[in-house]
Amino acid sequence: MKPIALTGIKPTGRPHIGNYLGMYRPALSLMENYLGMYFVADYHALTSLNDPAMLQSLVYEVAASWLALGLDPEEHIFFRQSDIPEIPEFTWILSCFTSKGLLNRAHAYKAAMDENLALGHDPDEGINAGLFYYPVLMAADILLYGSDVVPVGLDQKQHIEITRDIAEAFNRTYGEVLKVPEGLIQESVMKVPGIDGRKMSKSYDNTIPIFAPEKELRKRVMRIVTDSKRPEDPKDPTNDNLFALLQFFASPERIEEIRQLYVNGGAAYGTLKKELAELILSHFSDAREKFNTLIEDKPYIDKVLMQGAEKAREMGKPYLKAARKATGID
Ligand code: TRP
């Protein structure tokens, strides 16, 4: 049997090209050599998203994105996290092997706390325990199925380390029950700039959504921030968001030509933005078509996710059983 590559994506925003380059594409490229277990992490989303209609619709958008981008749900296991009742059960067991100090130091929790401190508030003001427990839930996601590798972006590296710590603590207590996974960290692709030049992220509202209607997608691309240089002025391509984004989608020859235009003068930002929009639309043209069909067929998505959840539960049961037995609960 092939080793397992597992990854989840939180349905808190519309999939954008930063997600694609940092997450979807690297994860999907493993499909040949691994059994892929990909899921929509809706329990994780609940730590920050409290609008039920929005959560529902984002679950479908994320699910349709995976399928449109090439995930084959027959060959691989594709499911929704909340369809696996073993997950919350396992989360509790694992929490008893998670040092609280480890969670105190988790980046997301620490950042929320630091923000409170900077404002002179109580350190835990407005922070729900779900956010604090986030890494334990994620460890359950990973350890339940005996995952071998976890392809994630650099921002998730600490979560993988915490998962490994938890598995090792459990195994130190009871023997080698849990498989300690490896992170497959995509360091280079994390530097996908958003339209304002900061890292592309839904929290900065600077994304280019992959499946937005064509007009909206073009508009986002035209809003990429550039300096006020004229077309004939020489420009430095190294710190330029537009150039950085073009590099992901243009052919190597074309990238070289554009580089020359930057350096020697002749690069008109408006024209290059239009070119980038065309490149993105053509890169995702099949996927966009599939997405539009899928998103209209929610019963189909539900069916795929249900079937995936059944397979995932079968995979998880032996590990949960072994963990329960080891602890003496079973
Ligand atoms: N925390 C991840 C993110 O925000 C999503 C996630 C949840 C995940 N569970 C996972 C990723 C398990 C990998 C493995 O992107």
Side-chain angles (χ1 to χ4, degrees):
M1 200 161 108
K2 287 181 182 173
I4 296 174
L6 171 136
T7 198
I9 188 161
K10 220 168 27 162
T12 46
R14 289 190 294 172
H16 55 71
I17 63 176
N19 299 140
Y20 171 71
L21 295 164
M23 231 288 292
Y24 287 95
R25 191 173 66 178
L28 291 167
S29 75
L30 296 173
M31 285 196 311
E32 232 179 272
N33 301 317
Y34 289 86
L35 170 64
M37 295 191 75
Y38 302 135
F39 65 95
V40 185
D42 52 352
Y43 277 145
H44 277 109
L46 199 54
T47 62
S48 63
L49 175 59
N50 296 152
D51 174 337
M54 176 82 95
L55 180 61
Q56 283 283 341
S57 102
L58 286 170
V59 166
Y60 284 115
E61 277 199 44
V62 167
S65 303
W66 275 114
L67 296 168
L69 291 167
L71 171 65
D72 177 351
E74 301 289 325
E75 288 282 318
H76 300 277
I77 303 180
F78 180 50
F79 59 102
R80 181 174 173 155
Q81 182 186 34
S82 61
D83 285 332
I84 314 294
E86 288 76 12
I87 286 292
E89 181 180 347
F90 200 35
T91 299
W92 177 257
I93 295 178
L94 294 177
S95 76
C96 300
F97 300 87
T98 306
S99 88
K100 178 172 173 283
L102 198 62
L103 299 183
N104 288 341
R105 291 187 294 276
H107 296 320
Y109 172 65
K110 244 182 126 274
M113 210 168 55
D114 289 346
E115 206 179 303
N116 277 332
L117 289 172
L119 294 167
H121 295 166
D122 181 89
D124 280 325
E125 184 165 320
I127 300 179
N128 65 65
L131 177 73
F132 187 66
Y133 251 55
Y134 190 107
V136 193
L137 179 59
M138 185 154 158
D141 287 331
I142 297 170
L143 300 174
L144 183 65
Y145 316 101
S147 309
D148 295 281
V149 301
V150 186
V152 283
L154 193 53
D155 61 328
Q156 297 296 313
K157 189 173 173 178
Q158 190 195 31
H159 287 147
I160 308 297
E161 285 160 4
I162 295 176
T163 297
R164 290 172 53 92
D165 272 349
I166 296 174
E168 281 161 2
F170 190 95
N171 287 349
R172 260 198 313 278
T173 312
Y174 299 117
E176 297 298 306
V177 178
L178 303 176
K179 186 178 281 176
V180 183
E182 298 290 332
L184 267 183
I185 314 287
Q186 312 289 327
E187 313 229 2
S188 60
V189 284
M190 278 311 289
K191 295 182 189 77
V192 182
I195 60 176
D196 62 355
R198 291 184 289 176
K199 180 189 161 203
M200 190 178 288
S201 160
K202 131 192 130 325
S203 33
Y204 297 145
D205 188 24
N206 65 358
T207 68
I208 303 174
I210 308 170
F211 300 107
E214 183 171 331
K215 207 167 141 199
E216 186 192 334
L217 197 151
R218 286 184 193 279
K219 226 161 123 190
R220 298 290 287 184
V221 173
M222 294 315 285
R223 274 180 44 205
I224 291 172
V225 175
T226 47
D227 58 29
S228 54
K229 291 206 172 80
R230 293 164 306 169
E232 60 272 29
D233 296 334
K235 308 171 183 74
D236 178 9
T238 41
N239 277 321
D240 184 285
N241 339 326
L242 177 57
F243 186 76
L245 287 164
L246 279 160
Q247 278 186 304
F248 289 116
F249 295 98
S251 69
E253 299 77 41
R254 183 61 189 147
I255 292 164
E256 206 29 57
E257 278 170 22
I258 299 173
R259 185 194 305 281
Q260 294 304 326
L261 291 175
Y262 265 81
V263 174
N264 302 322
Y269 292 134
T271 319
L272 287 173
K273 287 181 191 175
K274 286 196 184 114
E275 180 172 342
L276 176 61
E278 289 310 322
L279 285 167
I280 293 174
L281 285 165
S282 94
H283 184 91
F284 293 108
S285 113
D286 287 353
R288 287 170 53 85
E289 205 175 303
K290 271 194 215 152
F291 179 91
N292 290 334
T293 312
L294 285 161
I295 206 71
E296 293 302 321
D297 194 354
K298 304 221 164 59
Y300 171 77
I301 298 179
D302 285 334
K303 194 179 90 196
V304 167
L305 291 173
M306 261 341 277
Q307 285 170 351
E310 276 167 34
K311 289 195 256 177
R313 294 187 67 188
E314 284 314 307
M315 304 273 299
K317 274 182 188 151
Y319 283 95
L320 181 59
K321 180 98 184 147
R324 287 174 54 102
K325 274 216 160 340
T327 55
I329 281 176
D330 224 352

